[in-house]
Amino acid sequence: MVDLESEVPPLPPRYRFRDLLLGDQGWQNDDRVQVEFFMNENTFKERLKLFFIKNQRSSLRIRLFNFSLKLLSCLLYIIRVLLENPSQGNEWSRIFWVNRSLPLWGLQVLVALISLFETILLGYLSYKGNIWEQILRVPFILEIVNAVPFVISIFWPSLRNLFVPVFLNCWLAKHALENMINDLHRAIQRTGSAMFNQVLILISTLLCLIFTCICGIQHLERIGKKLNLFDSLYFCIVTFSTVGFGDVTPETWPSKLFVVAMICVALVVLPIQFEQLAYLWMERQKSGGNYSRHRAQTEKHVVLCVSSLKIDLLMDFLNEFYAHPRLQDYYVVILCPTEMDVQVRRVLQIPMWSQRVIYLQGSALKDQDLLRAKMDDAEACFILSSRCEVDRTSSDHQTILRAWAVKDFAPNCPLYVQILKPENKFHIKFADHVVCEEEFKYAMLALNCICPATSTLITLLVHTSRGQEGQQSPEQWQKTYGRCSGNEVYHITLEDSAFFAEYEGKSFTYASFHAHKKFGVCLIGVRREDNKNILLNPGPRYIMNATDICFYINITKEENSAFKHQDQQKRCKASRSFYHGPSRLPVHSIIASMGTVAIDLQDTSCRSASGPTLALPSEGIKEIRRPSIAPVLEVADTSSIQTCDLLSDQSEDETAPDEKMPSNLEYAKGYPPYSPYIGSSPTFCHLLHEKVPFCCLRLDKSCQHNYYEDAKAYGFKNKLIIVAAETAGNGLYNFIVPLRAYYRPKKELNPIVLLLDNPPEIHFLDAICWFPMVYYMVGSIDNLDDLLRCGVTFAANMVVVDKESTMSAEEDYMADAKTIVNVQTLFRLFSSLSIITELTHPANMRFMQFRAKDCYSLALSKLEKKERERGSNLAFMFRLPFAAGRVFSISMLDTLLYQSFVKDYMISITRLLLGLDTIPGSGFLCSIKITEDDLWIRTYARLYQKLCSSSGDVPIGIYRTESQKLATSESQISISVEEWEDTKDCKEQGLPRGNRRNSTCSDQADHPLLRRKSMQWARRLSRKGPKHSGKTAEKITQQRLNLYRRSERQELAELVKSRMRHLGLSTVGYDEMNDHQSTLSYILINPSPDTRLELNDVVYLIRPDPLSYLPNSEPSRDSSLCRPTAQDSREETQL
């Protein structure tokens, strides 16, 4: 080691660190030679070539000088023509000789010398071994023709007046201009300039042709009419425009020959130029061109990035985006990698969209395309996933890369991203707003099972509408339903609001009730100024502050409302007649016109200070007197609000468990210990003390722990909820969580059966094994045996999820074909089953529960077409399956992402309503059903007061079911032959003529073959037909058709029962004749206070968080709350 150190030479006294880096060790006695490297050969020719040709900037200067020189030579020619005074006569010498002054000749000689020298120098520098290639070039020949005569005239003075066609320098100027533009684009690194180049070439070619023709005709006509330059210009324009007045014509044969030659050249050159220009124009139309920087800085625009643009997606986006008044001046730039679809092109040619929508073909992963869209100046960027892809995970990966590319290119541009699968959501957490499709879809389908038509409720809330749909319909339910569908969620600061400013310092429930009573608005949530979390119905203990942001449901926002006070007498009169008569128009006279609502404020002085009270029955009536509704307190009395008041069901469950329930099946409350994907919001749920073995999760297979092989053997007390899906994706976890949330009473938990086409993975089973009464079964809804084994005969709801493998089809709308047919089969086999279906395309909702001969469905189809013609965004809302919440398409929620651009809180509120997010102190969505014991409340306003005063609940709408008033369809008629004589008079009075006519025209081929005995009986009826009158024959025909229909129902029932007996299942409980097709259901969002309550109405509630009333905010699994008074509290809060 010492020897090695001794061999290291000592550092010199003035050693520099720079020398060490550069390897300069010249202080040693080594012979080193410094070598310089050059990009080009270090010769004089190469240096000139670098300056004149290779270097873009210097070459650009040379070409600009050359272009100016050629223009100067053309200008000198024009000056010579204007100054010339030709002599009289028709001598041919005038063609070859001209009058040229000495100064003019000197300038032309100078220009010619410079041009000739430059041409020879460039020819020398570009010489590559073939001299004839340089000499025979057209620019070189023109240069020799225009410059050499002037150079010769220097040495031969007699040739100074020789005619030289200097005007041909315009073609050299055109050539120099093209080279100059190319060098300019190379110097500034500009691409995509082919269109500009082609237009420039076309214009310059046309100008050169006209200038050459003008100068040539003028010179050749020196021996004829002696035309000046203006007359020549006039003649050329008239000739080239094919007008041909004939007042100016060439007289000499040389000029005529020259005109013929120029026309032939124009016919050859110009079409080629126009063809190239048209081709580039078509290509540019396909790619979309650019969005200029000037427009981006002076106008507001948003960018829509999609992998493939369909007409439905485009119209949903445009209709929702431009539904807001303040977005009318925005431009939409679409960035899509595929060529524009024919239907999209046709729509974008409509003037309403052509002026505001710009289509660019390009990729979001290319900075050049993002620059074309001016992404860095955009107000927002919407990135949508392609849900019709076979591989949805691959579609999500493309969306993630697009989001990353946009964030890298424009960090300050707000991102609105749509993702399909929840496990990919954490990759785009940086986005401002994210909508995960499967999260929302499964949570919405789950709530549909316990709160009917939740999907319809959310869809109507996130769509922009003015409530004008159905107002011209003759049916009252369509008018009411359409008017209430215009309600949306808005926000305003408390101190700036005329609705809520007077409730500062009062409780939330007090503000909500009195705002609805006075203005007809429904206050559903609030947010503190210093807090980002929105609280839905924080309860009566929440005190309103002046800086709170209030979220409310109304037909329009407060800023677009005008308030009118009626006189005292009219208000008192309206108050006295408030509760009389059937349901009428809103008391507040809500008039939606041009985005403004005029609200007549109701006088509260005519009522008692304690609020409206229910008149008590007289003492003589034997009916039991019900107590009046308690007033809503301004500030909640903490001593009167007990925890058990709001947790009565839970307290009952914990204090009085079912004696028959085994102790090992007792449920606990806590957070699920395992989540199948990253990013799921923790939810407090009902859980098992110990996880269930995976073998016990299989419904149709026995194991060492149990011997059950079908749903009937388990003996469930509540009806099943069956979910038919293709695979057990991570999104299916969000279907289970809302149904097992801690605020659901334990005795009301429905068993969940997952009917899967493919076996679930282990990590999914590990996530669901902690939840009570959750099972799975491998099978398909195509198989009747699988349906019977999973318990479809005694299920409350059947949820059919659209299969991913069928979402892509050659014809887009055929993607739902298999799902629709399968659901139709379920509908025919199990008519009493509530089926909730998810479809890919909303337009296919018209095929759900399809009945070809149903007149009422045909009338609704006509209504839908009329609403679409009026420009409605919710034309499909009157379809009975959608109105009843039995069908849903996730594409309807695309508007949620679009609406978030204006209302940035909509995604948060929707997630809270669906139970995807749980925030301490925020309420949850639930429902109650109006029974006969609750009809004493009578109106929605009194129900609002009852709920706010007793339990702090805030109602937001009603789900109403009515009997179908029109004639029932053919498929709904089921009457026995033996009862025909007893019911014929009723049928004649109840059914209109049109229905009887349609029934008699029914095609027998639609029904299956009947049994032999029934056919023989029908033949006997047909033989007796001629003996009766025409009216009697028609009745007999109707009787026979009714027999056919009943036989069809019976055959379907026999098929189901035979399969049940074959599988060893009991047929008890299968009611094949139970049919609910004669009813229609719809939603009333925030109905008017005087809306009458009806039997079996389901009221949507936002219930306060029960945990917010606990003394200790940390929930306990074993704690028992308010054990002695649980039963009493439940009676007090019951309606």
Side-chain angles (χ1 to χ4, degrees), residues 169-181:
N169 277 329
C170 64
W171 295 98
L172 295 176
K174 170 183 173 294
H175 181 68
L177 178 63
E178 294 177 8
N179 294 332
M180 182 177 63
I181 295 300

Side-chain angles (χ1 to χ4, degrees), residues 566-580:
Q566 296 181 347
D567 56 74
Q568 185 78 12
Q569 184 177 2
K570 290 185 178 180
R571 289 199 303 249
C572 293
K573 182 179 180 180
S575 177
R576 288 193 298 269
S577 61
F578 184 79
Y579 296 113
H580 297 285

Side-chain angles (χ1 to χ4, degrees), residues 827 849-854 857 880 964 969 971-972 1077:
F827 175 68
Q849 301 178 7
F850 185 74
R851 296 184 289 269
K853 302 291 184 176
D854 190 359
S857 298
L880 295 183
Q964 198 166 335
S969 64
S971 61
Q972 299 171 11
Q1077 301 175 11

Side-chain angles (χ1 to χ4, degrees), residues 507 540-541 543 633-641:
S507 67
R541 293 188 179 182
I543 304 301
L633 301 180
E634 294 185 5
V635 179
D637 187 3
T638 56
S639 61
S640 62
I641 299 180

Side-chain angles (χ1 to χ4, degrees), residues 600-614:
D600 300 336
L601 301 184
Q602 187 177 358
D603 184 23
T604 57
S605 61
C606 298
R607 301 178 180 271
S608 61
S610 61
T613 58
L614 183 63

Side-chain angles (χ1 to χ4, degrees), residues 689-759:
H689 290 285
E690 296 181 359
K691 69 176 185 178
V692 178
F694 292 167
C695 59
C696 297
L697 295 176
R698 187 72 181 263
L699 181 72
D700 58 334
K701 298 291 184 181
S702 61
C703 63
Q704 59 182 352
H705 306 94
N706 64 69
Y707 303 98
Y708 305 143
E709 294 185 354
D710 59 81
K712 183 68 175 178
Y714 282 83
F716 297 121
K717 295 185 177 180
N718 296 330
K719 290 189 175 183
L720 300 177
I721 295 177
I722 303 176
V723 186
E726 186 175 15
T727 58
N730 293 328
L732 196 56
Y733 176 80
N734 293 288
F735 184 91
I736 301 174
V737 170
L739 299 179
R740 294 295 179 263
Y742 73 97
Y743 43 77
R744 310 291 178 196
K746 286 192 298 185
K747 291 186 178 182
E748 297 180 5
L749 297 182
N750 299 90
I752 303 174
V753 178
L754 309 179
L755 183 60
L756 307 174
D757 291 355
N758 303 311

Side-chain angles (χ1 to χ4, degrees), residues 512-513 516-517 520-524 553 578-579 583 612 629 930 937-948 953-960 1084-1094 1097-1102:
S512 179
F513 166 67
H516 184 268
K517 173 185 174 182
V521 300
C522 179
L523 178 64
I524 62 171
I553 298 177
F578 184 79
Y579 296 113
S583 178
I629 301 177
I930 301 297
I937 302 178
R938 294 190 292 185
T939 62
Y940 185 75
R942 292 169 56 81
L943 175 67
Y944 209 117
Q945 181 181 1
K946 172 66 177 176
L947 293 171
C948 289
D953 299 341
V954 173
I956 61 174
I958 296 176
Y959 177 76
R960 177 161 293 175
L1084 302 178
I1085 303 176
N1086 187 30
S1088 60
D1090 61 339
T1091 301
R1092 304 282 296 190
L1093 298 179
E1094 297 182 3
D1097 278 353
V1098 177
V1099 182
Y1100 298 104
L1101 308 175
I1102 299 181

